[in-house]
Every structure is written in structure tokens, then in C-alpha cells.
Amino acid sequence: MLEDCPENCDQSCYRCLRSFRNRFEHSLLDRHVGASLLRYLIHGTEPTLNEDRLERSADTLCEDLSSRGSNAQFTRGTKIEIEGVGTITAPILAQRGDQQWIFGVHDPLSPDVAPTDELRRAKETGSVPVLLIDDMVISRNFPFATGQVLQALA
Ligand SMILES: [Zn+2]
């Protein structure tokens, strides 16, 4: 039910997780995160959110960052050469002068774990700082997520 809600809702609806009894928690219910947790508990698979959702979160975050008039440039899905790793796709690339930062989105259940192997390797080498923002923070407390990025650039 969590994976295949009949309404195909974004987070939760009355067809999947919502009921009158849990009405005070509706804003907290997220079927994708729930499914990710159950898959981990039942099958031991690493918690992940689907790529579309992570992409959408990165879109939202990047659009907001670009509209802030910060002195850094933000671009989505930019190819970047990382020493010792090769060419990777930066979910969000921030550039200011000759400084660069990569921002990605992580599953709320696996803090600070990059969603792809290439990003994980880039993060390990550390030649360009890779910072990961929690998908749930982006969807629930968006200004805080933007603030985390801007603080990293300060
Ligand atoms: Zn639903």
C-alpha cells in the first residue's frame, strides 16, 4: 500500500495512510519514507527514496537558491571532473569564483549517505566539498534547507 497508493499521492492521503484517528499527524506521514524503512527492516535493503523524488527535491532547492541573489551560482545536474573519481553529475553545483561545492539530497533514514556511488566517492575524496541535505527537511522545513546551503557557503 505504501508503494502503490491508489491515488499515487506525494506523501500521504486518505487512500493510504491517513485516517480520522491520525488527523493530527497527517502532515508527518510520508508513505515513501515508510516504505523505505519497511524495505530495510524486512529485506535489509539500504534505505533509499526513488530517484524522481530526490531529483524533484534538488530542483526545488536549486530554484530557491538561484532566486536568493546570493553571490554564488547554482546549477542543476552539472558534469564535474573530480580528481580520482572521474566525471560525475553534481545534483546541485555551487560556484563562487574558483570555489565549488556540490549539494545533494539524502534519504531521511540515512543521514549523510550520498544517494549514488559516484557522489559517495566524490564525498570521500573531498577535493570538492559534497554536502547532503535531508529530503524531509526540504519538504517540511524548506527555509531551513536553503539556510543550510547558504551557511555552508559563508
Ligand atoms: Zn496516498
Side-chain angles (χ1 to χ4, degrees):
M1 187 183 277
L2 292 175
E3 286 180 337
D4 299 311
C5 165
E7 287 293 319
N8 194 27
C9 62
D10 268 353
Q11 296 181 341
S12 64
C13 70
Y14 276 95
R15 302 287 299 276
C16 57
L17 286 173
R18 295 185 178 192
S19 70
F20 181 71
R21 284 178 56 189
N22 66 22
R23 64 194 178 281
F24 297 116
E25 281 89 42
H26 284 181
S27 66
L28 302 172
L29 300 173
D30 188 316
R31 67 187 179 93
H32 300 286
V33 175
S36 172
L37 176 62
L38 286 180
R39 276 195 304 270
Y40 172 68
L41 293 173
I42 296 168
H43 306 295
T45 48
E46 206 172 291
T48 53
L49 287 176
N50 81 38
E51 211 177 300
D52 288 350
R53 167 134 167 201
L54 296 175
E55 290 292 309
R56 261 183 287 139
S57 295
D59 282 342
T60 312
L61 185 59
C62 191
E63 268 171 42
D64 189 58
L65 289 165
S66 303
S67 70
R68 292 287 166 138
S70 144
N71 57 0
Q73 297 273 326
F74 300 95
T75 50
R76 274 282 285 131
T78 307
K79 303 267 184 217
I80 174 174
E81 178 72 27
I82 303 285
E83 221 179 288
V85 178
T87 304
I88 73 157
T89 303
I92 298 172
L93 182 68
Q95 297 186 88
R96 187 174 56 214
D98 56 4
Q99 282 183 295
Q100 294 181 312
W101 297 261
I102 295 171
F103 294 94
V105 181
H106 74 75
D107 180 295
L109 298 173
S110 41
D112 220 27
V113 175
T116 60
D117 278 343
E118 61 174 25
L119 203 54
R120 218 166 293 170
R121 278 183 282 133
K123 192 174 185 314
E124 279 162 17
T125 69
S127 58
V128 174
V130 176
L131 295 113
L132 300 165
I133 308 293
D134 190 328
D135 180 84
M136 200 167 265
V137 173
I138 296 173
S139 64
R140 301 281 148 83
N141 189 354
F142 190 53
F144 187 77
T146 303
Q148 283 183 306
V149 172
L150 296 177
Q151 196 174 10
L153 302 180

